[in-house]
Amino acid sequence: MSETVLIRSQADEDTVELKHEPYRPAKPTRRGPGYLLRQIAGVDETILDWVPEERHRYSRLGAIVLNTGLMAALSMLALLGSHDVPIAALVPAALLWGYVILTFDRWLITDTHGSSGMGTGKFLARLAISILMGLVVAEPLLLWMFSSDVHTQIGKDRTTLLDTYRSTLKRCNPLSGEPPADASGCTKEYVLNVPGSPRPLLDSKKAAEDERVKINAAIADIDTEIKRREDLARQECNGTSGRGLTGRVGEGPNCRQLRGETAEYIASSNRPQRQDELNAVNTKIADIGAQISTASQGYAEAVSKAIKEAVDAKEAALETPGLLDQVRALSQLADQNVFVQLQSWLLRLLLVVLDALPVITKRLSRPTTYDGLLSRQLTISDKLHHKTLKSRSDQALGDLDVQIQETEHNIRVRRERIEEQGRDAEADRQATLDAQIEELARRLRGDS
């Protein structure tokens, strides 16, 4: 089929000539943005020239694939921009990642060209890959969108971490130098080795106080016994009736005996020495208390300084917030704020849909004329390849048969030549032998 186009000659405007151009294939277009987009979609332009009406369709499909690559590049740019990465490495890395995603999506689409339809299994597999890629692309963009709130949340988390660390240090390292009242969680990490602790003085004071308690108990026992004996002697002397008492008034033998026993007990009980020991222990406790007061003041300042230095060191050891820190902070924000959670999932869903859109579009669309042409061309190419291989195989087998026959012929010729040479050599040998016999016979006849 052809179409007739009227073209006015430039040489003579009054002359009209007829020029016939083929209707199909259409005039090729190998430039412009549409052509580049179709290359991204993975179409064969030589086949598409037969159905130029579908060029726009595949240009739009290529634009969809390009969008996913651009979103991936933007995602990587946002991710790297949140870290201490040289600016010279940002754009190449982002473009490389976008190219990887674009290439992968292009493969997902190109693989469906020429088929009459996409099976459910293939569609679900490609859709799952697209969803996975969409989620990977979405997360950095989410972090970039909420970057201000994310870094604020990270700051709060780190402040809470440092406050908890500081409070644990204070609990495990009392300023008084005494053992912590609650030692749970006081591992080696939280116990500070600060010199000048009043702990030995506190232990000495505790030992002195324990000794004072013992001396007081011993003195109390002596005083109780002295009082008991004095009361018993007084009752005997006063004539009080009772068990072990005579009931007679006056200083009788029993009265004097009880008083004497009381005096002997007082003399043997070392009550004055015990009192001196008690006074000495009280003096020692007072002296240690004064030393503790002096030592505690300096130790409390040293512990406070050590705690501050430990907290400062831990704060300095905290690295620049990484990807995991940002993801954790974003998750906390989503748990605290319904709006953040809703926006996060909406953006994820949007990017997943964008990345899966080429596959979904291909699934929902009817097979195009281009698909049919490509399918037929692939079928014809398969047949041509099969026929070509068969032709080459037959030719190679024929050549091999001829070569075998030539080889067999050459072998026969060489064998015949060798046999002929053998026969000639045998005839020469026989002739020589006959000549020798004749010569010998002639000599014999001459001699006789």
Side-chain angles (χ1 to χ4, degrees):
M1 182 182 296
S2 63
E3 61 177 348
T4 303
V5 181
L6 297 178
I7 301 178
R8 189 173 298 277
S9 173
Q10 296 180 357
D12 187 0
E13 294 183 356
D14 297 330
T15 303
V16 176
E17 64 177 359
L18 297 178
K19 180 180 179 181
H20 299 280
E21 292 185 355
Y23 177 69
R24 288 294 186 273
K27 183 179 180 181
T29 56
R30 302 295 186 265
R31 64 180 62 185
Y35 170 73
L36 296 178
L37 291 176
R38 291 193 296 275
Q39 292 303 300
I40 294 176
V43 297
D44 187 344
E45 287 288 334
T46 58
I47 298 178
L48 198 60
D49 289 342
W50 292 88
V51 279
E53 295 82 5
E54 294 187 353
R55 286 172 178 169
H56 295 295
R57 176 192 184 95
Y58 284 98
S59 296
R60 291 191 295 269
L61 185 61
I64 295 175
V65 177
L66 178 62
N67 289 337
T68 61
L70 293 177
M71 293 298 293
L74 180 61
S75 172
M76 179 59 66
L77 189 64
L79 177 62
L80 296 179
S82 62
H83 296 77
D84 188 15
V85 179
I87 189 65
L90 290 179
V91 175
L95 292 178
L96 177 61
W97 176 245
Y99 171 75
V100 170
I101 299 300
L102 184 144
T103 304
F104 205 93
D105 281 338
R106 185 176 185 271
W107 168 76
L108 291 176
I109 291 301
T110 305
D111 190 51
T112 63
H113 292 334
S115 59
S116 58
M118 188 186 303
T120 303
K122 290 184 177 181
F123 169 71
L124 292 178
R126 286 170 171 78
L127 183 62
I129 295 174
S130 299
I131 291 175
L132 179 61
M133 293 172 60
L135 291 175
V136 171
V137 171
E139 206 62 30
L141 290 178
L142 278 173
L143 296 176
W144 173 71
M145 177 179 293
F146 297 102
S147 60
S148 177
D149 297 323
V150 165
H151 284 87
T152 301
Q153 183 64 37
I154 292 175
K156 291 180 180 179
D157 293 342
R158 294 194 169 184
T159 300
T160 302
L161 174 66
L162 293 175
D163 290 342
T164 303
Y165 182 65
R166 183 184 295 105
S167 62
T168 305
L169 288 175
K170 290 181 178 180
R171 178 171 57 84
C172 296
N173 301 274
L175 300 181
S176 62
E178 297 179 354
D182 179 14
S184 59
C186 292
T187 59
K188 186 178 180 180
E189 177 187 0
Y190 297 103
V191 177
L192 302 176
N193 186 17
V194 180
S197 172
R199 181 69 176 274
L201 294 175
L202 292 170
D203 293 340
S204 298
K205 183 181 179 182
K206 180 66 169 55
E209 290 174 345
D210 292 341
E211 183 180 0
R212 181 172 64 181
V213 171
K214 293 179 180 179
I215 295 175
N216 279 328
I219 291 176
D221 291 341
I222 292 174
D223 290 342
T224 300
E225 182 63 21
I226 290 174
K227 186 177 182 302
R228 186 187 69 79
R229 289 175 181 270
E230 287 178 345
D231 290 343
L232 185 60
R234 186 181 303 109
Q235 290 174 3
E236 178 63 29
C237 294
N238 291 335
T240 303
S241 299
R243 184 178 179 181
L245 300 174
T246 62
R248 292 192 289 267
V249 180
E251 292 187 9
N254 289 342
C255 178
R256 289 191 298 272
Q257 181 183 354
L258 291 175
R259 286 180 176 179
E261 290 177 357
T262 300
E264 289 176 2
Y265 177 77
I266 292 174
S268 63
S269 65
N270 296 325
R271 174 67 172 73
Q273 290 84 350
R274 288 290 186 177
Q275 185 63 48
D276 293 340
E277 292 176 4
L278 180 60
N279 295 335
V281 170
N282 287 331
T283 302
K284 181 180 179 180
I285 292 174
D287 293 340
I288 294 176
Q291 296 176 20
I292 290 175
S293 178
T294 302
S296 296
Q297 183 177 1
Y299 179 73
E301 295 177 356
V303 170
S304 299
K305 181 179 178 181
I307 291 176
K308 183 179 183 304
E309 291 175 351
V311 173
D312 292 342
K314 189 172 185 64
E315 183 178 6
L318 293 175
E319 300 178 352
T320 302
L323 179 61
L324 293 180
D325 296 324
Q326 297 181 44
V327 172
R328 190 182 303 111
L330 180 60
S331 177
Q332 293 175 352
L333 287 173
D335 293 338
Q336 299 169 8
N337 193 313
V338 178
F339 173 77
V340 175
Q341 187 174 22
L342 180 61
Q343 290 297 317
S344 299
W345 281 109
L346 285 178
L347 182 58
R348 287 190 182 99
L349 182 60
L350 174 62
L351 293 177
V352 166
V353 171
L354 285 178
D355 197 82
L357 191 58
V359 176
I360 296 175
T361 302
K362 192 67 177 179
R363 169 69 174 181
L364 298 180
S365 301
R366 60 173 179 79
T368 63
T369 305
Y370 171 81
D371 290 329
L373 294 179
L374 179 58
S375 177
R376 285 195 293 272
Q377 177 161 315
L378 292 175
T379 302
I380 293 174
S381 298
D382 179 68
K383 292 180 179 179
L384 288 175
H385 181 261
H386 176 71
K387 293 293 185 181
T388 301
L389 285 181
K390 188 176 185 305
S391 175
R392 291 179 180 178
S393 175
D394 294 342
Q395 182 177 357
L397 290 174
D399 292 343
L400 185 60
D401 290 339
V402 171
Q403 184 178 356
I404 292 174
Q405 292 177 2
E406 289 178 351
T407 301
E408 292 177 349
H409 173 73
N410 292 334
I411 291 174
R412 287 196 302 270
V413 170
R414 290 174 62 187
R415 284 178 178 176
E416 292 175 355
R417 187 176 302 163
I418 291 172
E419 291 176 355
E420 183 178 356
Q421 291 176 354
R423 289 192 297 269
D424 292 344
E426 180 64 22
D428 292 341
R429 186 180 67 79
Q430 188 63 39
T432 301
L433 181 61
D434 292 342
Q436 291 177 348
I437 293 173
E438 183 65 26
E439 179 64 24
L440 179 60
R442 190 175 61 253
R443 289 179 181 177
L444 290 174
R445 286 193 300 272
D447 291 339
S448 61

